Amino acid sequence: MANTYLTRSKSSPTSDKKGTISFWIKRSDTTSEQATFVSGGGSIDSNIFFDTSSKLNVYDYQSGAYQFRYVTSRVFRDPNAWYHIVVRIDTTDGTAGDRVKIYVNGVQETAFDTSTNPSQNLTPLFFTNTYAFWIGSYRGSSGYTNGLYTHFHYTDGYAYDASTFGETDSTSGVWKPKTAPSVTYGTNGFFLKFENSGAMGTDSSGNSNTFTVSGTLTQILDTPSNNFATLNPLHKGNTLTGFTFANGNNTITFGSTSYPYTFSTQALSSGKWYAEFKVTANPNDVTIGISNGEKSTYLSHSQYDYSYVGSNGNIQSNQAASPAGYGSALSNNDILGVAMDLDNNKLYFSINGTFQNSGVPTSGSTGTGAKSITAPSSTTNGVYHFAVGDFNSAASSVQCNFGNGYFGTTAVASANADANGHGKMEYAVPSGYYTLNTKNIKEFG
């Protein structure tokens, strides 16, 4: 959602002293300041944002001072997590400490680096009709959210706790959204589900308070109920520089540092898994495959890393071609499919839907055309990740599809789901293999 935002003007509110903001966010960039919900103009505003330390900030600033301000002590840096944020405001409350309540994943925040309570009957700028709402940026000029949103609620004149919008799943114990919470939205209230791909700002509250979308807002399958893998910006093998992540951490561009690599946020210990990688720049320098997640010098430096070498089609492991000449060299815009069979410890690669070395991913223990790999164990950290790397210092670029259905911002043409009905892949998912998401991992991983 980088460089994209939503905005809408307001009418006279149901209340200028009471309301609730509730939304789910999956953060991709955890190092930049990113606004989530803003209302204001000039030098005054109300704002909910993550600062450069990944701490959650909630404030109202007017008359040259913070009228209330909260900065959490804890940080929110997990790029694989969906966070449910609820800010409940009622400045008519007689208890100063109860006028603003902040919840994350159903639990009220109580530890703050900064905690300034509002005066009774303060009118926060969130609630006045003087200034517009902004979602995903600081008034459309900076602080863009690089990440995902879903189930964004605002109730005008009604203060609700987090349990109104979320609940604990009885099976998994995970905090999840209530898809149809029982709330009163009030005049300026809205509910953005982001379910209409042709009109992503559509309000589902019944108020028709639809937002205007600026930029490119794409609709993907990743949700709090089924969390899909992305690349992991917190792991940068060999160096902490030379990476650029984009498109919800599903696109990576390598820069001037030799031998960088990263891997998927989710890892597997069993089962059969499939992912796709589109090479869009410098295919000769790309390496794509799987890793046990150790921070080795470069991808395939370890004996527990295995990668397809874009320049020659070799399989690289433990710093050696093993085997050489496995498949064809990659060209720009080729899509490399990786099929990982951890039940039989075999690895297969396809180019544009054709498996190399006459590979047959469904051949089981026979492993027709496969590269044999070491079984997940204590020596491999017990898991394997999908991984992407670069051999040299050229600006290689790879767009990953772990099932969300996009390469960059372009939807896949074929939208092939796995046997569980999850994911959208460019090419058919081999029988018995699955896309990388929490529902599939719970069942097969």
Side-chain angles (χ1 to χ4, degrees), residues 74-370:
R74 68 169 171 147
V75 297
F76 302 91
R77 291 178 177 152
D78 186 350
N80 191 50
W82 278 96
Y83 294 111
H84 181 212
I85 310 297
V86 176
V87 178
R88 176 192 186 276
I89 302 174
D90 180 2
T91 65
T92 69
D93 196 297
T95 302
D98 289 341
R99 291 171 192 154
V100 177
K101 294 182 179 180
I102 301 168
Y103 303 84
V104 179
N105 294 341
V107 178
Q108 185 176 349
E109 291 292 306
T110 57
F112 298 97
D113 288 351
T114 299
S115 180
T116 303
N117 296 322
S119 60
Q120 191 168 22
N121 295 316
L122 172 76
T123 299
L125 297 177
F126 282 132
F127 303 152
T128 69
N129 65 345
T130 308
Y131 303 105
F133 288 134
W134 304 84
I135 296 175
S137 79
Y138 187 75
R139 301 191 221 158
S141 62
S142 62
Y144 298 99
T145 296
N146 185 357
L148 310 178
Y149 286 108
T150 193
H151 283 243
F152 206 122
H153 299 266
Y154 169 63
T155 63
D156 173 8
Y158 300 88
Y160 296 104
D161 295 335
S163 58
T164 301
F165 303 96
E167 60 187 350
T168 300
D169 187 275
S170 59
T171 301
S172 66
V174 173
W175 188 254
K176 66 178 184 180
K178 290 181 178 179
T179 56
S182 179
V183 301
T184 301
Y185 285 98
T187 302
N188 287 311
F190 61 83
F191 176 17
L192 304 183
K193 293 182 179 180
F194 306 108
E195 66 178 0
N196 185 338
S197 60
M200 293 285 277
T202 300
D203 173 27
S204 298
S205 72
N207 282 344
S208 298
N209 287 329
T210 293
F211 278 66
T212 298
V213 177
S214 179
T216 302
L217 189 61
T218 54
Q219 183 186 57
I220 61 177
L221 299 180
D222 199 338
T223 69
S225 298
N226 193 18
N227 190 357
F228 278 76
T230 68
L231 295 177
N232 188 350
L234 301 181
H235 178 95
K236 302 175 179 182
N238 189 45
T239 177
L240 296 179
T241 62
F243 291 70
T244 301
F245 291 91
N247 302 314
N249 293 335
N250 287 304
T251 295
I252 187 166
T253 299
F254 297 103
S256 59
T257 303
S258 295
Y259 309 126
Y261 81 100
T262 189
F263 48 71
S264 59
T265 52
Q266 298 173 7
L268 300 316
S269 60
S270 62
K272 301 177 182 180
W273 307 94
Y274 177 76
E276 294 176 340
F277 303 84
K278 185 174 184 178
V279 183
T280 57
N282 292 307
N284 283 348
D285 295 315
V286 166
T287 59
I288 299 170
I290 65 173
S291 170
N292 73 329
E294 291 183 353
K295 205 167 187 177
S296 55
T297 305
Y298 58 89
L299 183 59
S300 299
H301 181 271
S302 164
Q303 61 182 311
Y304 308 118
D305 294 350
Y306 307 88
S307 67
Y308 195 96
V309 179
S311 61
N312 52 27
N314 292 349
I315 303 297
Q316 188 85 8
S317 181
N318 202 23
Q319 307 181 68
S322 177
Y326 177 89
S328 300
L330 295 175
S331 300
N332 264 352
N333 297 315
D334 276 347
I335 297 173
L336 185 74
V338 182
M340 175 170 48
D341 179 355
L342 297 182
D343 293 336
N344 297 289
N345 303 312
K346 305 295 182 183
L347 186 63
Y348 304 83
F349 296 91
S350 65
I351 298 178
N352 302 325
T354 299
F355 278 92
Q356 302 298 286
N357 199 38
S358 302
V360 181
T362 57
S363 59
S365 60
T366 302
T368 303

Side-chain angles (χ1 to χ4, degrees), residues 374-390:
T374 300
S377 65
S378 58
T379 57
T380 64
N381 295 337
V383 295
Y384 280 108
H385 304 251
F386 288 103
V388 182
D390 181 278

Side-chain angles (χ1 to χ4, degrees), residues 45-46 58-62 65-68 122-126:
D45 54 43
S46 293
V58 179
Y59 74 77
D60 180 85
Y61 185 89
Q62 48 185 310
Y66 287 104
Q67 302 303 305
F68 62 78
L122 172 76
T123 299
L125 297 177
F126 282 132

